[in-house]
Amino acid sequence: MRLYEVRRAKINPGFRKTFEQYGMVVMQNLMANQDHAFLHEGGRINAGIVVNDLLPWLTEQHDLVERRENWMMVMEIAIVILVAAELCFSMANFFGWHSH
């Protein structure tokens, strides 16, 4: 369960900007079809050429999504616990189960 750590990609800042502009899904599709080209700084580049930058970036993006999902699960569990505690306190108050 990844709550804090994200494996940061040490890649060319120009490629990072281009990858972010295209988005993770597009870059995953380009990775699957490495002979397809994309635009980068005015030129066309095949995805197979930037594999050493693209794979770490995709790993970083996956880690960010996983971390976000895990924090959402932690928040949902906390909400359930707080609602259950409130229900217990309400039942105790309703039935008069309080200590003197």
Side-chain angles (χ1 to χ4, degrees), residues 1-8 63-64 67 70-71:
M1 184 178 222
R2 187 175 306 281
L3 291 176
Y4 298 106
E5 178 188 347
V6 172
R7 294 171 282 187
R8 296 286 178 192
D63 285 358
L64 289 169
R67 182 178 69 175
N70 289 339
W71 273 110

Side-chain angles (χ1 to χ4, degrees), residues 47-91:
I49 295 173
V50 296
V51 119
N52 291 332
D53 287 311
L54 184 52
L55 284 176
W57 183 81
L58 288 171
T59 300
E60 175 185 304
Q61 298 307 303
H62 171 75
D63 285 358
L64 289 169
V65 169
E66 183 181 9
R67 182 178 69 175
R68 189 174 309 117
E69 289 173 354
N70 289 339
W71 273 110
M72 290 298 293
M73 185 175 18
V74 168
M75 297 283 286
E76 290 170 0
I77 291 169
I79 289 169
V80 167
I81 290 170
L82 291 173
V83 168
E86 176 60 29
L87 180 61
C88 290
F89 289 133
S90 294
M91 287 174 51

